[in-house]
Amino acid sequence: MKADVAVIGAGAIGAQAAVQLVERGLDVILIEPGTAGADHAASYGNAAWLSSHSVVPPATPGIWKQLPGWLADPLGPLAVRPTYLPRSASWLWRYLASASTEAKVSAIARDLRALLIDAPHLHAEVAERAGLSHLIDATSGLMHVWPDRAAFQSDAFGWRIRREVGIEWRELDGAEIAVLQPELSRDYRFGIYVSEGGHCRNPGAYVAGLVDYAERRGVRRLRARALGFTQIRGRLTGVETSEGTVACAAAVIAAGARSRPLAALAGDRVPLETERGYHVTVEGDGLPGPAIPVMVGDRKVIVTSLAQGVRCAGQVEIGGLQAAPDWRRAEILRKHLAELVPALDTAGAQIWMGHRPSTPDGRPIIGPASGVEGVIHAFGHGHVGLVGSARTGRLVAELVTDEMPEIDIGGFSPARFSRRANAA
Ligand SMILES: Cc1cc2nc3c(=O)[nH]c(=O)nc-3n(C[C@H](O)[C@H](O)[C@H](O)COP(=O)(O)OP(=O)(O)OC[C@H]3O[C@@H](n4cnc5c(N)ncnc54)[C@H](O)[C@@H]3O)c2cc1C
């Protein structure tokens, strides 16, 4: 097997990269052991937000004070499994350190803003070319709600950072929320509406549809697991897979939460952890649900009406790739959903757990690998992998074809985790 480029992984990131590469006329092989868009991947079960305002990293100054609570409450919205603490300690340390000052968080927000700006429209453009316009709503806007303005104060820091990077929004009182969200519990009397946001109507179908479109344009699928790289004098010659070697001069690592060993083989030891997340989805047509996707501040969940039903997603569990899901977490989400949308019968909700591919500072890793020329990293998008996939795909294609990247990708370099960078 031979191609110009091998893309490893067919989640949202790999799918967008494959589309952009084949549209530039390159011969592409997409290596993926599973079915594109299926439930093994994070891209299937997310909250479907195309939130170009999601620029504040998960860790913010003072968050270290919450560490004891993460360990003490195994079912809290953010929890660390005590048995996994030894393996995740260094990632957690970097997570806390990345947010030790407001200046650090502001710098991360600027980088994420550059990656995410205009994302709903970028998705709409790709979706139109792929015949998937019915799956992208670039103009729905996105809403955040709290019980009252006092409750909002605990999240005010993040909104100040958002304002710094030019994000605008409209505040809502209880009466306005009730008009815009007739199905939402009346317990929410303060809100924010971000008009620049959009959402996807079915993330799994979107990824499957993008891969289908890429195949129609000439991308070949290889149902295999990538295992490593072949090289001559530091220059990539191929990708080794469970089904043989793909000869290629460029390769893209887009294997989501499973990218770390491949990145190490390409010369970059990166702190990549899984932030395990859950969803419940009540499937059906015409169900009561939010008219605008909504993030509920005090419960730390997102509720989105999708093509296939109503989904409530959230939770962060640091517990590794191997441990079985803790379905009590899905039950917590189901209860939230039942309380937030009282008219919805949540009894038969589908449950799911997936792996956010997360770096400690909330920025993905995008850029050339340092050990093997021709390998490009495109993973680690954490909470913003769906929204960030459209521009990431473009950046990957620009890097492979030696074009100037459309944004400064310095902040996404794996080098930020090197010992030298940390010493500085
Ligand atoms: C509960 C939850 C809610 C979320 N909500 C949102 C949201 O609203 N908006 C948003 O933007 N993001 C959200 N996210 C994050 C988003 O889903 C992820 O960041 C994104 O899906 C990551 O995409 P990916 O392509 O990197 O990884 P994945 O979708 O996990 O895909 C990786 C693919 O690589 C394949 N693979 C793995 N190893 C190999 C190998 N060795 N060889 C070949 N293939 C391999 C896998 O089989 C998989 O198909 C959420 C995540 C969760 C869990």
Side-chain angles (χ1 to χ4, degrees), residues 314-391:
Q315 305 262 346
V316 171
E317 181 187 34
I318 308 294
L321 287 166
Q322 305 305 335
D326 182 344
W327 292 123
R328 291 174 301 173
R329 291 183 162 275
E331 177 55 18
I332 292 170
L333 292 177
R334 194 197 59 74
K335 279 194 182 135
H336 282 312
L337 182 56
E339 288 164 14
L340 289 165
V341 186
L344 184 68
D345 178 1
T346 60
Q350 306 286 322
I351 55 176
W352 174 84
M353 188 274 284
H355 296 285
R356 297 181 189 89
S358 297
T359 64
D361 64 7
R363 283 176 291 195
I365 297 172
I366 305 170
S370 50
V372 183
E373 198 184 333
V375 176
I376 307 291
H377 297 305
F379 59 88
H381 291 70
H383 295 242
V384 293
L386 179 67
V387 56
S389 61
R391 180 160 283 108

Side-chain angles (χ1 to χ4, degrees), residues 7-15 31-38 40-51 207 224-227 254-259 262 275-279 302 304 313-315 352-357 378-388:
V7 175
I8 301 168
I13 304 295
I31 303 168
E32 163 66 56
T35 302
H40 67 284
S43 301
Y44 165 87
N46 54 60
W49 273 37
L50 301 178
S51 43
V207 172
R225 185 167 292 284
L227 304 172
R258 293 184 167 77
S259 298
L262 292 167
E275 287 185 88
R276 298 149 57 102
Y278 291 74
H279 83 211
I302 290 178
T304 306
Q315 305 262 346
W352 174 84
M353 188 274 284
H355 296 285
R356 297 181 189 89
F379 59 88
H381 291 70
H383 295 242
V384 293
L386 179 67
V387 56

Side-chain angles (χ1 to χ4, degrees), residues 158-229:
W159 290 93
R160 187 153 54 74
I161 297 286
R162 287 186 176 101
R163 199 180 290 289
E164 269 175 33
V165 299
I167 293 162
E168 293 178 356
W169 62 85
R170 184 159 68 86
E171 289 187 5
L172 306 167
D173 62 22
E176 289 168 303
I177 294 170
V179 169
L180 291 168
Q181 301 278 30
E183 299 292 353
L184 190 69
S185 152
R186 290 285 170 273
D187 292 343
Y188 291 90
R189 290 178 296 276
F190 181 78
I192 278 180
Y193 177 69
V194 185
S195 61
E196 67 173 52
H199 72 285
C200 176
R201 293 199 179 93
N202 182 338
Y206 181 45
V207 172
L210 288 174
V211 170
D212 196 43
Y213 165 66
E215 285 189 271
R216 293 200 304 276
R217 294 287 305 246
V219 169
R220 285 169 288 155
R221 286 280 312 277
L222 178 62
R223 196 174 268 273
R225 185 167 292 284
L227 304 172
F229 305 101

